[in-house]
Short mmCIF file of all heavy atoms in Angstrom, two decimals:
data_model
loop_
_atom_site.label_atom_id
_atom_site.label_comp_id
_atom_site.label_asym_id
_atom_site.label_seq_id
_atom_site.Cartn_x
_atom_site.Cartn_y
_atom_site.Cartn_z
N ALA B 13 -31.71 22.79 -0.95
CA ALA B 13 -31.32 22.24 -2.32
C ALA B 13 -29.84 22.04 -2.43
O ALA B 13 -29.42 21.09 -3.15
CB ALA B 13 -31.79 23.21 -3.42
N SER B 14 -28.95 22.76 -1.81
CA SER B 14 -27.50 22.67 -2.20
C SER B 14 -26.68 22.05 -0.99
O SER B 14 -25.58 21.55 -1.37
CB SER B 14 -27.02 24.05 -2.58
OG SER B 14 -27.00 24.93 -1.37
N VAL B 15 -27.21 22.09 0.13
CA VAL B 15 -26.35 21.44 1.33
C VAL B 15 -27.39 20.50 2.04
O VAL B 15 -28.57 20.67 2.01
CB VAL B 15 -25.84 22.55 2.25
CG1 VAL B 15 -24.80 23.25 1.69
CG2 VAL B 15 -26.93 23.43 2.75
N PRO B 16 -26.70 19.43 2.72
CA PRO B 16 -27.50 18.44 3.41
C PRO B 16 -28.17 18.86 4.63
O PRO B 16 -27.77 18.41 5.80
CB PRO B 16 -26.57 17.22 3.50
CG PRO B 16 -25.16 17.82 3.54
CD PRO B 16 -25.37 18.99 2.75
N VAL B 17 -29.08 19.82 4.54
CA VAL B 17 -29.69 20.49 5.67
C VAL B 17 -31.12 20.50 5.78
O VAL B 17 -31.78 20.56 4.65
CB VAL B 17 -29.25 22.02 5.68
CG1 VAL B 17 -30.19 22.82 6.55
CG2 VAL B 17 -27.79 22.14 6.19
N ILE B 18 -31.73 20.27 6.90
CA ILE B 18 -33.14 20.33 7.14
C ILE B 18 -33.39 21.60 8.05
O ILE B 18 -32.77 21.78 8.94
CB ILE B 18 -33.71 19.10 7.88
CG1 ILE B 18 -33.46 17.85 7.21
CG2 ILE B 18 -35.30 19.36 8.23
CD1 ILE B 18 -33.91 16.64 7.98
N ARG B 19 -34.33 22.36 7.56
CA ARG B 19 -34.67 23.61 8.29
C ARG B 19 -36.19 23.59 8.77
O ARG B 19 -36.96 23.10 7.97
CB ARG B 19 -34.34 24.95 7.47
CG ARG B 19 -32.98 25.30 7.09
CD ARG B 19 -32.69 26.58 6.68
NE ARG B 19 -31.22 26.72 6.44
CZ ARG B 19 -30.68 26.34 5.26
NH1 ARG B 19 -31.43 25.81 4.27
NH2 ARG B 19 -29.32 26.44 5.16
N MET B 20 -36.34 24.08 9.90
CA MET B 20 -37.69 24.06 10.39
C MET B 20 -37.93 25.56 10.98
O MET B 20 -37.09 26.21 11.48
CB MET B 20 -37.98 23.03 11.48
CG MET B 20 -37.77 21.75 10.93
SD MET B 20 -38.54 20.38 11.96
CE MET B 20 -37.55 20.52 13.39
N THR B 21 -39.28 25.96 10.76
CA THR B 21 -39.74 27.26 11.31
C THR B 21 -40.99 27.16 11.91
O THR B 21 -41.99 26.55 11.35
CB THR B 21 -39.78 28.27 10.08
OG1 THR B 21 -38.52 28.36 9.40
CG2 THR B 21 -39.91 29.68 10.73
N ARG B 22 -41.15 27.74 13.15
CA ARG B 22 -42.44 27.73 13.83
C ARG B 22 -42.55 28.69 14.89
O ARG B 22 -41.58 29.07 15.58
CB ARG B 22 -42.48 26.28 14.55
CG ARG B 22 -43.57 25.99 15.56
CD ARG B 22 -44.90 25.48 14.87
NE ARG B 22 -45.69 24.66 15.70
CZ ARG B 22 -46.44 24.96 16.62
NH1 ARG B 22 -46.44 26.12 17.35
NH2 ARG B 22 -47.21 24.06 17.15
N ASP B 23 -43.72 29.42 14.93
CA ASP B 23 -43.89 30.53 15.92
C ASP B 23 -44.57 29.91 17.27
O ASP B 23 -45.34 29.01 17.13
CB ASP B 23 -44.74 31.62 15.32
CG ASP B 23 -44.17 32.33 14.18
OD1 ASP B 23 -42.89 32.11 13.94
OD2 ASP B 23 -44.76 33.06 13.58
N PHE B 24 -44.22 30.55 18.35
CA PHE B 24 -44.84 30.23 19.59
C PHE B 24 -45.28 31.43 20.34
O PHE B 24 -44.68 32.52 20.29
CB PHE B 24 -43.80 29.45 20.49
CG PHE B 24 -43.41 28.18 19.89
CD1 PHE B 24 -42.39 27.96 19.04
CD2 PHE B 24 -44.25 26.95 20.31
CE1 PHE B 24 -42.04 26.74 18.49
CE2 PHE B 24 -43.83 25.72 19.85
CZ PHE B 24 -42.83 25.63 18.98
N ALA B 25 -46.34 31.36 21.16
CA ALA B 25 -46.98 32.44 21.86
C ALA B 25 -46.34 32.51 23.19
O ALA B 25 -46.71 32.20 24.26
CB ALA B 25 -48.48 32.24 22.02
N ALA B 26 -44.94 32.90 23.09
CA ALA B 26 -44.15 32.90 24.35
C ALA B 26 -42.91 33.91 24.15
O ALA B 26 -42.59 34.11 22.95
CB ALA B 26 -43.64 31.64 24.78
N THR B 27 -42.41 34.44 25.04
CA THR B 27 -41.14 35.15 24.97
C THR B 27 -40.05 34.30 24.62
O THR B 27 -40.00 33.08 24.87
CB THR B 27 -40.84 35.91 26.23
OG1 THR B 27 -40.61 34.92 27.23
CG2 THR B 27 -41.93 36.94 26.64
N PRO B 28 -38.93 34.84 23.99
CA PRO B 28 -37.75 33.99 23.86
C PRO B 28 -37.27 33.27 25.03
O PRO B 28 -36.80 32.18 25.10
CB PRO B 28 -36.71 35.01 23.29
CG PRO B 28 -37.48 36.09 22.73
CD PRO B 28 -38.76 36.24 23.53
N GLU B 29 -37.38 33.99 26.17
CA GLU B 29 -36.87 33.45 27.46
C GLU B 29 -37.75 32.21 27.92
O GLU B 29 -37.00 31.28 28.22
CB GLU B 29 -36.98 34.53 28.71
CG GLU B 29 -36.12 35.80 28.56
CD GLU B 29 -36.57 36.68 27.50
OE1 GLU B 29 -37.71 36.70 26.97
OE2 GLU B 29 -35.63 37.48 27.18
N ARG B 30 -39.02 32.29 27.69
CA ARG B 30 -39.82 30.98 28.00
C ARG B 30 -39.52 29.87 26.94
O ARG B 30 -39.44 28.73 27.45
CB ARG B 30 -41.27 31.33 28.01
CG ARG B 30 -41.70 32.28 29.15
CD ARG B 30 -43.15 32.68 29.08
NE ARG B 30 -44.09 31.48 29.34
CZ ARG B 30 -45.21 31.43 28.92
NH1 ARG B 30 -45.84 32.30 28.16
NH2 ARG B 30 -46.02 30.38 29.24
N LEU B 31 -39.40 30.13 25.69
CA LEU B 31 -39.05 29.15 24.78
C LEU B 31 -37.67 28.52 24.98
O LEU B 31 -37.46 27.29 24.90
CB LEU B 31 -39.19 29.76 23.33
CG LEU B 31 -39.44 28.68 22.27
CD1 LEU B 31 -40.53 27.80 22.50
CD2 LEU B 31 -39.38 29.53 20.85
N PHE B 32 -36.65 29.37 25.21
CA PHE B 32 -35.41 28.95 25.68
C PHE B 32 -35.43 27.92 26.90
O PHE B 32 -34.88 26.89 26.93
CB PHE B 32 -34.46 30.11 26.02
CG PHE B 32 -33.10 29.80 26.46
CD1 PHE B 32 -32.14 29.50 25.65
CD2 PHE B 32 -32.81 29.79 27.89
CE1 PHE B 32 -30.87 29.16 26.11
CE2 PHE B 32 -31.50 29.47 28.26
CZ PHE B 32 -30.52 29.18 27.36
N ARG B 33 -36.18 28.34 27.91
CA ARG B 33 -36.38 27.53 29.11
C ARG B 33 -37.01 26.10 28.83
O ARG B 33 -36.48 25.13 29.29
CB ARG B 33 -37.15 28.22 30.21
CG ARG B 33 -37.15 27.60 31.53
CD ARG B 33 -37.46 28.56 32.67
NE ARG B 33 -38.84 29.19 32.55
CZ ARG B 33 -39.07 30.48 32.37
NH1 ARG B 33 -38.14 31.34 32.47
NH2 ARG B 33 -40.42 30.94 32.30
N ALA B 34 -38.05 26.25 27.84
CA ALA B 34 -38.63 25.00 27.49
C ALA B 34 -37.71 24.02 26.68
O ALA B 34 -37.78 22.74 26.70
CB ALA B 34 -39.77 25.20 26.52
N HIS B 35 -36.56 24.60 26.18
CA HIS B 35 -35.45 23.69 25.54
C HIS B 35 -34.30 23.35 26.37
O HIS B 35 -33.57 22.54 25.98
CB HIS B 35 -35.08 24.53 24.17
CG HIS B 35 -35.97 24.44 23.09
ND1 HIS B 35 -37.09 25.28 22.90
CD2 HIS B 35 -36.01 23.61 22.00
CE1 HIS B 35 -37.71 24.93 21.83
NE2 HIS B 35 -37.11 23.99 21.19
N THR B 36 -34.17 24.07 27.55
CA THR B 36 -33.01 23.85 28.36
C THR B 36 -33.29 23.23 29.80
O THR B 36 -32.31 22.59 30.22
CB THR B 36 -32.16 25.07 28.47
OG1 THR B 36 -33.02 26.14 29.00
CG2 THR B 36 -31.59 25.55 27.28
N ASP B 37 -34.50 23.29 30.17
CA ASP B 37 -34.94 22.78 31.49
C ASP B 37 -35.17 21.32 31.22
O ASP B 37 -36.14 21.02 30.32
CB ASP B 37 -36.10 23.49 32.07
CG ASP B 37 -36.54 22.84 33.43
OD1 ASP B 37 -36.82 21.58 33.43
OD2 ASP B 37 -36.60 23.59 34.40
N PRO B 38 -34.52 20.33 31.75
CA PRO B 38 -34.82 18.86 31.33
C PRO B 38 -36.18 18.39 31.71
O PRO B 38 -36.73 17.57 31.04
CB PRO B 38 -33.77 18.20 32.14
CG PRO B 38 -33.39 19.05 33.32
CD PRO B 38 -33.49 20.35 32.79
N VAL B 39 -36.79 18.84 32.84
CA VAL B 39 -38.11 18.45 33.27
C VAL B 39 -39.13 18.92 32.12
O VAL B 39 -40.07 18.19 31.67
CB VAL B 39 -38.46 18.83 34.63
CG1 VAL B 39 -39.85 18.51 34.97
CG2 VAL B 39 -37.52 18.31 35.64
N LEU B 40 -38.96 20.22 31.76
CA LEU B 40 -39.92 20.66 30.82
C LEU B 40 -39.80 20.13 29.51
O LEU B 40 -40.69 19.73 28.75
CB LEU B 40 -39.70 22.18 30.72
CG LEU B 40 -40.01 23.11 31.93
CD1 LEU B 40 -39.63 24.52 31.72
CD2 LEU B 40 -41.42 23.01 32.41
#
Side-chain angles (χ1 to χ4, degrees):
Chain B
S14 65
V15 288
V17 160
I18 299 169
R19 291 197 182 82
M20 299 196 292
T21 308
R22 172 83 149 67
D23 294 348
F24 291 90
T27 60
E29 291 74 16
R30 293 176 71 203
L31 199 58
F32 175 84
R33 190 156 61 239
H35 282 81
T36 52
D37 180 304
V39 175
L40 298 175

